[in-house]
Amino acid sequence: MKSFILLSAFSLIGSCATTKYSTKIDNLKNSIQVNDSTAIATYANTISVEELKHNLHTFASKAFEGRKVGEPGQLKASAFLKEFYKTQHILPAVGDSTYYQTVPHSFLPQGVNSSANVVAYIKGSKVPEEFIIISGHLDHMGVENDSIHFGADDNGSGTVAMLAIAKAFKQAQSAGYTPKRSLVFLHLTAEEIGLYGSSYYVSNPIFSLENTMANLNIDMIGRIDEKHKNNPNYIYLIGADRLSKHLHFTSEKINAMFTNLELDYTFNDEEDTNQYYYRSDHYNFAKHNIPVIFYFNGEHNDYHKPTDTPDKIDYRLLQKRAQLIFATAWQLANQEYPLVHNKDI
C-alpha cells in the first residue's frame, strides 16, 4: 500500500524525466487541496488566549523551578503535562498508562539525572501507521545564582501551544473529525543541554521514523524580536523547504488561508550565521530524512535570562501562531498523499 501511495503522489508532479522542473513545481503546488477549511477554522478558534495564559503561568511558575533536566522542578512539569493529557482523554504513547519515555542518565551528560520525554497521541482513522509529530522541548535552565530561569518563552510558549493544539484536535475528534494520519505530541527533555531528548527518541522511536511524514517543532513563539517590534504579525520558519518543498508550499497555502502571518525565512538561509536549523530538536528528525518546520520568534533581551517571564508574552500573537501550526498539522494529517521529497521532484 505504501509504495502505491508514494507512486500516486509522484505522479502528481509528473513522472516523465523530461518534464521541466518548473512544471513539476507548479503541479506540486496545484496538488495541494484543502478540503476541511470550515472545520479547520472552527477548531483553530478553540485555541484561546485565556487557556494559553493560564497554562503558561503554571508551567513557567516558581513551583517548577526552571525545569532543569532531571531535577524536581522538571519532574513536576512533566507530571503537569501527563495530567493534562489524561484529563483530555488523549492516549499515552508508551504502554497502557504512562506518558513517559524514560531517557536514562547513561544517555545524558555526566552528572545529569535520568529524565523523560512526555508523549501522547491521537490515532489516525485511515492510515494510522503514518505519523505527524508536533514537538517542543519542556526543559529549561533551572536555578542559577539563586535566580529561577522561568523560561516562559523558552519553551513554555511552545509547550502550552502544543497542549492547546492537542486539545483542539481532541475536540475535533469527539465531533467526528478524526485525523486520517496519527498525530503525536512529543514534549522533549534535555534540549537545553544538547538536544538529548530528541536524540534519544530518534534512536529509540516509539513510532516508526520511516512512516513519520513530518515534524513540526515549536521552540519560542510567544515574543517579538527587535526586527519586528513595529510589525509583530510574523513568525520565523526554518527548514520547511530543505527536504520537501511540498511541505513549504503546504505551509504557505495554509497560512494564506487561515492566519496571514508574515512568514519570515531569514534564518532559513543556509549561510545565516546563527545556524538555528541545527540548534533545536527538529534537526534530529531532519537527519533521518523527515521533513521539518521549526517555528521560532527570534531572540530577545530576556533570552536565557531569569527575566523570561509569563507577563512578557504576547498571548494573542501566541494564539495566532498556535493556530497556524494547528491548521498546518490538520492539513498534513488529512491530505490524500504523503509529502513529496525534493529528491523525488
Side-chain angles (χ1 to χ4, degrees):
M1 174 62 75
K2 184 179 179 186
S3 60
F4 173 76
I5 292 174
L6 288 173
L7 180 60
S8 298
F10 183 70
S11 69
L12 289 171
I13 61 171
S15 58
C16 178
T18 59
T19 303
K20 289 183 179 180
Y21 182 79
S22 60
T23 301
K24 292 180 179 181
I25 291 296
D26 288 341
N27 289 343
L28 191 59
K29 289 180 179 179
N30 293 335
S31 75
I32 301 168
Q33 301 297 318
V34 181
N35 298 318
D36 304 319
S37 58
T38 300
I40 293 172
T42 296
Y43 292 101
N45 285 332
T46 67
I47 298 173
S48 72
V49 165
E50 293 74 22
E51 187 166 19
L52 290 167
K53 182 180 290 188
H54 174 78
N55 284 335
L56 188 53
H57 274 267
T58 300
F59 196 73
S61 67
K62 290 182 180 179
F64 292 171
E65 301 173 313
R67 310 186 303 276
K68 188 173 182 178
V69 178
E71 298 299 318
Q74 195 244 318
L75 300 180
K76 290 179 185 177
S78 297
F80 171 80
L81 299 176
K82 174 182 177 179
E83 187 59 31
F84 176 89
Y85 286 112
K86 287 180 65 177
T87 300
Q88 296 300 320
H89 305 289
I90 298 173
L91 297 172
V94 186
D96 295 326
S97 59
T98 181
Y99 291 79
Y100 298 154
Q101 180 190 39
T102 299
V103 181
H105 68 86
S106 59
F107 190 84
L108 297 165
Q110 187 174 2
V112 178
N113 296 325
S114 64
S115 186
N117 298 322
V118 181
V119 199
Y121 85 115
I122 293 174
K123 187 175 182 179
S125 60
K126 293 191 176 180
V127 277
E129 72 284 356
E130 293 181 5
F131 308 97
I132 309 299
I133 294 181
I134 303 170
S135 66
H137 72 91
L138 67 93
D139 64 303
H140 196 51
M141 299 172 66
V143 180
E144 295 180 349
N145 300 319
D146 297 323
S147 296
I148 297 173
H149 287 255
F150 294 97
D153 191 30
D154 187 10
N155 182 37
S157 60
T159 300
V160 299
M162 286 177 63
L163 299 182
I165 290 166
K167 183 177 179 180
F169 273 114
K170 184 62 181 180
Q171 289 177 312
Q173 182 188 41
S174 298
Y177 293 99
T178 300
K180 293 177 182 178
R181 295 178 179 85
S182 296
L183 289 161
V184 180
F185 305 97
L186 176 59
H187 298 268
L188 293 156
T189 189
E191 189 270 353
E192 295 284 15
I193 61 172
L195 314 186
Y196 283 95
S198 54
S199 178
Y200 188 81
Y201 181 87
V202 298
S203 299
N204 303 271
I206 298 170
F207 301 104
S208 166
L209 296 182
E210 182 182 356
N211 291 333
T212 297
M213 190 167 107
N215 169 228
L216 307 180
N217 186 53
I218 314 169
D219 192 353
M220 299 174 57
I221 61 165
R223 294 282 296 270
I224 301 162
D225 70 357
E226 184 66 20
K227 176 183 175 181
H228 296 89
K229 64 181 181 180
N230 296 320
N231 180 26
N233 189 54
Y234 80 100
I235 187 72
Y236 290 106
L237 265 61
I238 303 169
D241 64 347
R242 298 215 181 180
L243 293 173
S244 174
K245 287 183 171 62
H246 191 183
L247 176 59
H248 169 72
F249 297 141
T250 300
S251 167
E252 290 207 321
K253 184 164 188 172
I254 290 297
N255 178 60
M257 289 185 67
F258 297 103
T259 46
N260 199 31
L261 286 158
E262 176 197 342
L263 304 183
D264 191 326
Y265 298 107
T266 299
F267 297 134
N268 191 48
D269 184 344
E270 294 187 28
E271 302 302 319
D272 180 69
T273 57
N274 295 285
Q275 295 293 290
Y276 289 122
Y277 181 68
Y278 306 97
R279 290 172 52 184
S280 192
D281 288 305
H282 59 279
Y283 181 58
N284 280 320
F285 291 94
K287 287 194 294 185
H288 286 266
N289 204 36
I290 295 168
V292 302
I293 301 178
F294 172 24
Y295 298 90
F296 179 51
N297 54 218
E299 295 183 14
H300 45 73
N301 290 335
D302 300 304
Y303 175 67
H304 278 192
K305 294 179 181 178
T307 49
D308 180 9
T309 51
D311 59 294
K312 296 177 180 176
I313 298 296
D314 185 325
Y315 287 96
R316 292 204 178 277
L317 188 55
L318 174 57
Q319 175 194 41
K320 194 170 185 180
R321 291 164 172 170
Q323 288 170 335
L324 168 63
I325 299 163
F326 168 81
T328 304
W330 181 299
Q331 174 65 19
L332 295 173
N334 288 287
Q335 66 187 31
E336 185 175 359
Y337 302 109
L339 292 171
V340 176
H341 287 216
N342 292 343
K343 64 183 177 61
D344 296 321
I345 297 177

